[in-house]
């Protein structure tokens, strides 16, 4: 992984961490190397204590959109698999949201209930819950 790709992943984590805090959770996250594969470091989002979930593949961060989508999904998987938390959720329907990134679009949180609706772009949940 290049330094630029790692930088994109860390920048993406700042946005997703904001969504975590905006939803009322206080978990602090980091992008860390959690091992290696074929002499290349493998990066995942980890909790502050180092716990992570690596079942969905490693983070690559080839573009800003890729990095944001990968980090958002990695945080969702981490919370689900390690903490047994469905995150984030739709305040209207009380259902878990899904990260969706259609071609040509930025990653966003979507509620699939009923006809489905956009909740917020990834990194902008705080706009729905101002302090």
């Amino acid at each position: 992984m290049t330094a630029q790709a790692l930088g994109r992943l860390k920048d993406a984590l700042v946005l997703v961490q904001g969504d975590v805090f905006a939803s009322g959770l206080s978990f602090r996250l980091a992008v860390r190397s959690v091992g290696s594969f074929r002499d290349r470091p493998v990066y995942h989002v980890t909790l502050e204590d180092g716990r992570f979930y690596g079942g969905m593949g490693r983070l690559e961060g080839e573009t800003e959109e890729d990095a944001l989508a990968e980090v958002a999904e990695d945080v969702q998987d981490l919370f689900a698999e390690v903490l047994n938390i469905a995150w984030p959720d739709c305040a209207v329907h009380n259902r878990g949201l899904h990260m969706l990134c259609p071609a040509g679009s930025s990653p966003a949180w979507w509620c699939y209930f009923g006809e489905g609706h956009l909740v917020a772009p990834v990194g902008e949940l705080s706009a729905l819950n101002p302090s």
Side-chain angles (χ1 to χ4, degrees):
M1 173 175 295
T2 67
Q4 293 86 1
L6 182 56
R8 285 189 290 270
L9 292 171
K10 289 182 177 184
D11 290 347
L13 183 62
V14 169
L15 296 173
V16 177
Q17 181 73 74
D19 283 352
V20 171
F21 291 153
S23 63
L25 298 175
S26 60
F27 299 105
R28 295 203 177 270
L29 305 167
V31 171
R32 293 187 178 126
S33 175
V34 296
S36 64
F37 179 72
R38 295 186 179 165
D39 297 324
R40 292 181 60 201
V42 173
Y43 288 89
H44 279 286
V45 176
T46 70
L47 293 168
E48 196 169 36
D49 64 10
R51 289 181 291 166
F52 70 96
Y53 176 70
M56 295 301 291
R58 62 180 175 240
L59 300 175
E60 298 286 340
E62 291 190 18
T63 67
E64 288 180 17
E65 283 81 20
D66 288 343
L68 189 54
E70 291 171 2
V71 167
E73 286 184 321
D74 215 40
V75 171
Q76 280 192 301
D77 291 341
L78 170 68
F79 284 0
E81 299 297 332
V82 175
L83 301 174
N84 200 29
I85 296 172
W87 175 87
D89 63 353
C90 177
V92 174
H93 298 111
N94 198 28
R95 307 259 178 152
L97 298 177
H98 301 270
M99 195 288 303
L100 184 64
C101 189
S105 298
S106 296
W109 298 118
W110 286 81
C111 175
Y112 288 172
F113 187 73
E115 293 182 22
H117 63 97
L118 169 69
V119 174
V122 172
E124 295 185 27
L125 284 179
S126 62
L128 302 176
N129 304 308
S131 303

